[in-house]
Amino acid sequence: MSTARNIFPRSAKPELLGQTVVVIGGSAGIGLETARRARTEGARLILTGRNSERLQRVASELNALNTAAFDANDSAPLEHFFRDLPTTIDHVMVTAGQPHYGRMLDMEFEQARRALDTHLLLTLQVARIAAPKVRPGGTLLFMGARRPPPRHRSRDRVDSHRCTPCLIANLALELAPVRVNLIAAGFVDTPLSAKLPRR
Ligand SMILES: NC(=O)c1ccc[n+]([C@@H]2O[C@H](COP(=O)([O-])OP(=O)(O)OC[C@H]3O[C@@H](n4cnc5c(N)ncnc54)[C@H](OP(=O)(O)O)[C@@H]3O)[C@@H](O)[C@H]2O)c1
């Protein structure tokens, strides 16, 4: 592992000094930029993604404490990952996954199952296994998507992210004092959005 770089400005008071941040999907896009920002604020980083080469590149750039390459929708490695963490953690952000577009009733059943796996079941699974490792007052942070204004809504495009707010609200009640939040993002320029059809 490379030597830590002094990457936050000297005058700034780092807000996450001594805290550990886990990003599930931290090797690109929103997760990577969040990890960069957290590192700038003094956090120790633990990053995951599926592509181990890309993950290692990012880990070396950000001097991550640890990395693990696995598919977050695969519950066994996800569970091992959290169980084997060498430390308690302060914040977990989950950016793994992508939206599934289509009229729900027109989706193949397997496609609908994958959409539910990616958003609802992954959220539930992370909450269940990560929360005991998170110190009180720490955070579980998930990604959703902002509902586009009516003029940009198309009747044949339903984003599976829209199912998550209710689950997040319930988890927040059940896991307090660990905080559980959902970010409903608008368009963010990332490797994922570059591949998606324009809405
Ligand atoms: N970009 C936007 O405009 C936008 C807007 C609203 C919501 N969102 C949501 O925000 C989240 C992040 O989006 P993004 O644009 O940052 O995506 P991205 O550029 O594709 O980055 C996703 C990150 O997650 C990892 N990842 C993806 N699927 C994974 C899986 N199954 N298991 C483990 N790691 C996985 C990727 O690495 P590997 O590929 O190596 O696994 C990568 O590090 C997504 O859920 C997306 O739907 C995005």
Side-chain angles (χ1 to χ4, degrees):
M1 200 62 72
S2 58
T3 319
R5 287 177 242 165
N6 185 12
I7 54 177
F8 46 79
R10 277 203 197 126
S11 55
K13 182 168 178 267
E15 292 182 358
L16 297 173
L17 199 58
Q19 299 192 33
T20 303
V21 172
V22 173
V23 186
I24 305 292
S27 60
I30 296 168
L32 170 57
E33 287 312 311
T34 305
R36 250 191 206 122
R37 179 67 202 275
R39 189 73 186 103
T40 304
E41 295 295 340
R44 291 183 294 258
L45 299 176
I46 299 177
L47 306 175
T48 85
R50 291 164 301 183
N51 180 326
S52 57
E53 225 171 86
R54 181 160 67 168
L55 196 55
Q56 285 316 316
R57 265 201 313 275
V58 166
S60 144
E61 178 205 326
L62 300 181
N63 197 14
L65 184 66
N66 207 349
T67 59
F70 60 90
D71 187 334
N73 290 308
D74 198 344
S75 57
L78 182 71
E79 199 165 339
H80 288 152
F81 167 74
F82 278 107
R83 198 193 54 209
D84 296 345
L85 281 178
T87 171
T88 54
I89 48 188
D90 296 278
H91 309 284
V92 180
M93 183 180 199
V94 181
T95 56
Q98 61 181 70
H100 294 74
Y101 294 116
R103 269 174 48 85
M104 286 193 183
L105 289 175
D106 293 342
M107 279 186 184
E108 295 288 333
F109 195 71
E110 269 315 305
Q111 195 187 2
R113 194 196 293 278
R114 273 200 305 279
L116 293 177
D117 261 358
T118 307
H119 299 296
L120 298 179
L121 296 185
L122 174 59
T123 300
L124 183 59
Q125 176 84 337
V126 168
R128 199 190 291 259
I129 57 185
K133 290 268 185 171
V134 177
R135 66 159 180 80
T139 317
L140 300 181
L141 193 52
F142 297 91
M143 287 303 304
R146 190 179 302 163
R147 195 163 163 73
R151 68 183 185 286
H152 292 303
R153 263 179 231 155
S154 140
R155 256 187 283 150
D156 62 350
R157 293 221 169 138
V158 177
D159 182 344
S160 57
H161 270 311
R162 307 258 145 71
C163 307
T164 41
C166 176
L167 175 63
I168 296 289
N170 274 283
L171 290 172
L173 289 175
E174 291 187 21
L175 292 177
V178 171
R179 290 176 301 158
V180 186
N181 286 311
L182 180 69
I183 297 177
F187 176 82
V188 185
D189 189 5
T190 66
L192 172 68
S193 55
K195 286 187 293 191
L196 292 176
R198 293 271 164 193
R199 307 161 89 182

